[in-house]
Every structure is written in C-alpha cells, then in structure tokens.
Amino acid sequence: MNNEQFVKVPNIDLASQGLEMKDLVIYAYLKKHYNNVTKDSFPSFQTLSEESGISKPTVIKSVNRLQASGYINISKIKKVNHYTFSDVNKFEIY
C-alpha cells in the first residue's frame, strides 16, 4: 500500500491575490511538513529550498507573500518559524 500524502490546492487567481506559482509550490511544501498534533509546520528556509528546488531568497519572499495574503501565520518559537494555516480547508491534506 502506498503511504504518500497529497496536498489539495484550490483553483484561485494567484495574481489577484498578489501571489505567484512558486508561492503555491512553497505553500504545498509547508503543508507537507504539517504536524497533525501541533497543528503547525516548521521546516527551515533551507529545507524548503532544497525540497522545492527554489532558491532560499525566493523561498523567503514566497513565505512573506503567503503571510501578507493571509494564507499562513508565522510565529517564532525558540528562533524557529512555526507556520499555521489560516484556512486549512483551502489546502487540506488527504
């Protein structure tokens, strides 16, 4: 049996929300690291960069755009960014 997880993404007009396709990719990678117990995600920028193939500076910009558009919230816990998802129904793991 295959234990792969998938991230469902909505059909949205990225440009109207100030987002780019790479932001959607970064969101999916953030969601990949979602912890069902803590209800957050906390991969490093380096991890996101390595997994997505997107440069670290671009990952940082994408995270900032996702936060500005209201898709994620960021809090720091012991110098680590923890990401929570504003509306988990928009990008639900199934």
Side-chain angles (χ1 to χ4, degrees), residues 52-63:
S52 69
I54 297 172
S55 72
K56 187 175 172 182
T58 301
V59 167
I60 294 167
K61 289 176 188 174
S62 288
V63 165

Side-chain angles (χ1 to χ4, degrees), residues 26-69:
I26 294 304
Y27 191 102
Y29 277 96
L30 284 169
K31 199 65 172 180
K32 174 186 172 195
H33 290 276
Y34 183 74
N35 182 313
N36 284 319
V37 175
T38 62
K39 305 296 185 203
D40 67 355
S41 175
F42 43 92
S44 68
F45 292 135
Q46 186 65 38
T47 296
L48 291 170
S49 175
E50 289 170 2
E51 289 181 354
S52 69
I54 297 172
S55 72
K56 187 175 172 182
T58 301
V59 167
I60 294 167
K61 289 176 188 174
S62 288
V63 165
N64 290 333
R65 279 191 297 268
L66 288 164
Q67 181 181 30
S69 67

Side-chain angles (χ1 to χ4, degrees), residues 9-28:
V9 295
N11 183 12
I12 59 172
D13 179 8
L14 295 170
S16 72
Q17 296 187 36
L19 297 173
E20 301 174 16
M21 184 55 73
K22 58 189 146 208
D23 302 332
L24 197 57
V25 170
I26 294 304
Y27 191 102

Side-chain angles (χ1 to χ4, degrees), residues 12 17 19 27 66 69-73 84-86 90-91:
I12 59 172
Q17 296 187 36
L19 297 173
Y27 191 102
L66 288 164
S69 67
Y71 281 93
I72 62 173
N73 296 303
T84 54
F85 303 90
S86 301
K90 290 183 180 178
F91 295 89

